[in-house]
Amino acid sequence: VSASNIDIENYIDANAFGYIYINVGNFANNGVFDLIDDADIWSKLSMVQEKTGIDITKDLHGLLIVPLDSIVADNGNSNNMYGVLFSSLDYSALMKIVDFKKNDVNAKGGKFEALKNEAWEILVLTEEDGTKNCLHITNDGTMLYSRDLDTLRQAIKVYTNQVPNAKKSESFKDINSNIDNTSDLFGYFSMKELDKTGLEGNPFSQTLGSVNFIGFGISYKAKTIYADFKLFTDTDENAKKVADTFNGMKVMMAGIIAEESPIANDILNGVVIEGKNGFANINFTITEEQLKQLEEESQSKYSEPEPVLDDESEPDSEE
C-alpha cells in the first residue's frame, strides 16, 4: 500500500519538527529485503512469524516516525517522538505481536501493564533497564508507539482530532507537495528551530542558514538507488545561492577524491544540483555496479599490506 493511499497527515502533529515515512510495502516489490544479510534480523523475524503467524515483510504497510522537537538541537529529546505502524492486521492480530513482546520482556525481568483511568487503552512494556514501550492499538490496523507516555497521549490526540494535525499546517502542504510520496523512504525536517546565531559573519554559513526545511525521497528500484533532496528557503534567490554553494562544494570535493576514489568521483559527477521554485534540488543515483566497485575499492585499501620500513639499525663499524 503506497503512502499516497494512507493519509499520513492525519497522524502528524501540526507543530511537529518533521516526519519520516518508511514505505515497508514497497520493500518486498523492490527487493529491499534482499539487501538485508544480517542473520540475526531474519532469525528474529522468523521467530515472530512462528509464534504469531504474522509475516512482518508482507503484513506491514509502512512506519511513520514523528519527532515533536528537534532531535539534533542541544535540547533535543529522542524520547519526544512517536511512531505510527500501518498494517493489514486487525486489533487481535496486532495484540499477538504485543503478547509476543510481553512474554519476551517478562522473561528478561521486565513488566507489562495495561494502564487504567486513561481515556484510551494504553499498554506499557517496561524492559529490565527501565526503557518503556508505550502502545495504543486502534481498530483499523494501526499501532501508535512512543517511549514516552505523554508523547503517546499527544499522538492519540492527533489521531482522534483533539489537536490539529498536519492538514492544518500550510508549511506542511507546501513542502509535502514537492516530495515524492511513492518513495521507499521520504519526509522532511524543519531547520527553523536550530540555533543560527553567529552565521552573520560567514557568507558560506549564512547561505546555508537560509534553509528552513529539508525534504527528501530515497528509493531502491531495479538494483539502483535514487535519492532526491530539497532544501527549502524563503526566496528563489536564496535557493539559487544554496545551489551555487553546493555546486562549489561538489567541484572542490571532486578535486580531492578524483585520484583517491575514481568510482566515488564518478558518482559525485552524476550529482545534479539546481535552485528553483524556492528550493535547492540535489539528486543522484547509485547503481548496483557502482556499489560493488565501492565495496571492492574499500576492501582493497584495507587489505593492502603494511609498507616495509628500511632497516634503520646502525651499520657495523669498520675494523
Side-chain angles (χ1 to χ4, degrees), residues 92-151:
S92 60
L94 286 171
M95 278 303 299
K96 289 181 181 179
I97 298 178
V98 175
D99 288 337
F100 171 79
K101 180 64 176 176
K102 177 178 70 174
N103 294 334
D104 181 59
V105 167
N106 286 338
K108 295 178 180 178
K111 67 176 182 177
F112 168 82
E113 56 184 328
L115 299 186
K116 299 180 180 179
N117 302 319
E118 292 281 340
W120 314 276
E121 180 184 55
I122 293 180
L123 311 173
V124 180
L125 293 159
T126 305
E127 299 181 28
E128 58 179 334
D129 62 358
T131 300
K132 292 185 180 297
N133 302 279
C134 308
L135 310 170
H136 172 68
I137 302 175
T138 71
N139 292 321
D140 59 2
T142 303
M143 179 188 291
L144 306 179
Y145 162 87
S146 180
R147 288 191 171 180
D148 179 76
L149 190 54
D150 287 335
T151 302

Side-chain angles (χ1 to χ4, degrees), residues 48-68:
V48 171
Q49 185 171 359
E50 178 184 343
K51 299 292 184 181
T52 67
I54 296 169
D55 186 346
I56 300 295
T57 65
K58 296 179 180 178
D59 295 323
L60 300 188
H61 294 161
L63 174 62
L64 174 68
I65 301 172
V66 183
L68 295 179

Side-chain angles (χ1 to χ4, degrees), residues 224-244:
T224 299
I225 296 173
Y226 297 85
D228 184 84
F229 294 87
K230 292 182 172 66
L231 285 67
F232 294 86
T233 62
D234 291 331
T235 66
D236 288 347
E237 181 182 359
N238 280 336
K240 291 177 181 178
K241 287 182 178 179
V242 171
D244 289 343

Side-chain angles (χ1 to χ4, degrees), residues 24-315:
V24 182
N26 278 2
F27 287 5
N29 296 331
N30 295 342
V32 176
F33 286 124
D34 297 336
L35 300 178
I36 302 175
D37 59 1
D38 191 322
D40 186 50
I41 292 177
W42 286 114
S43 176
K44 290 179 180 178
L45 290 177
S46 297
M47 186 180 299
V48 171
Q49 185 171 359
E50 178 184 343
K51 299 292 184 181
T52 67
I54 296 169
D55 186 346
I56 300 295
T57 65
K58 296 179 180 178
D59 295 323
L60 300 188
H61 294 161
L63 174 62
L64 174 68
I65 301 172
V66 183
L68 295 179
D69 291 328
S70 170
I71 56 176
V72 294
D74 291 339
N75 62 346
N77 182 356
S78 60
N79 284 338
N80 200 12
M81 67 173 68
Y82 63 86
V84 184
L85 186 68
F86 301 97
S87 71
S88 58
L89 307 172
D90 58 16
Y91 178 90
S92 60
L94 286 171
M95 278 303 299
K96 289 181 181 179
I97 298 178
V98 175
D99 288 337
F100 171 79
K101 180 64 176 176
K102 177 178 70 174
N103 294 334
D104 181 59
V105 167
N106 286 338
K108 295 178 180 178
K111 67 176 182 177
F112 168 82
E113 56 184 328
L115 299 186
K116 299 180 180 179
N117 302 319
E118 292 281 340
W120 314 276
E121 180 184 55
I122 293 180
L123 311 173
V124 180
L125 293 159
T126 305
E127 299 181 28
E128 58 179 334
D129 62 358
T131 300
K132 292 185 180 297
N133 302 279
C134 308
L135 310 170
H136 172 68
I137 302 175
T138 71
N139 292 321
D140 59 2
T142 303
M143 179 188 291
L144 306 179
Y145 162 87
S146 180
R147 288 191 171 180
D148 179 76
L149 190 54
D150 287 335
T151 302
L152 179 65
R153 292 188 181 112
Q154 180 70 7
I156 297 173
K157 289 179 181 179
V158 174
Y159 170 71
T160 55
N161 293 314
Q162 296 184 52
V163 297
N165 59 36
K167 277 188 175 180
K168 307 291 185 181
S169 171
E170 291 301 322
S171 61
F172 176 90
K173 293 178 184 177
D174 292 342
I175 296 169
N176 222 47
S177 64
N178 289 291
I179 297 175
D180 182 5
N181 66 359
T182 65
S183 300
D184 296 341
L185 177 72
F186 64 90
Y188 81 81
F189 289 110
S190 171
M191 302 292 287
K192 289 184 176 181
E193 288 79 4
L194 301 184
D195 185 7
K196 297 179 182 179
T197 57
L199 300 181
E200 296 80 2
N202 187 326
F204 176 79
S205 298
Q206 190 174 3
T207 299
L208 297 183
S210 67
V211 176
N212 295 320
F213 297 94
I214 297 178
F216 60 92
I218 302 172
S219 290
Y220 179 76
K221 300 176 183 177
K223 297 184 178 181
T224 299
I225 296 173
Y226 297 85
D228 184 84
F229 294 87
K230 292 182 172 66
L231 285 67
F232 294 86
T233 62
D234 291 331
T235 66
D236 288 347
E237 181 182 359
N238 280 336
K240 291 177 181 178
K241 287 182 178 179
V242 171
D244 289 343
T245 298
F246 275 92
N247 272 313
M249 292 172 62
K250 173 185 171 181
V251 172
M252 180 178 66
M253 290 177 63
I256 296 174
I257 68 173
E259 294 184 6
E260 182 72 17
S261 175
I263 185 59
N265 189 55
D266 183 43
I267 294 172
L268 183 62
N269 285 334
V271 177
V272 178
I273 308 171
E274 56 183 343
K276 60 181 181 180
N277 301 327
F279 57 82
N281 196 184
I282 305 172
N283 64 75
F284 58 90
T285 61
I286 305 177
T287 66
E288 181 183 40
E289 183 60 30
Q290 288 174 323
L291 286 174
K292 286 182 179 179
Q293 290 179 18
L294 278 174
E295 184 178 3
E296 291 171 358
E297 190 177 77
S298 176
Q299 291 177 347
S300 174
K301 287 180 180 178
Y302 287 107
S303 62
E304 288 179 357
E306 292 284 337
V308 178
L309 300 178
D310 294 334
D311 187 0
E312 296 182 355
S313 56
E314 293 184 4

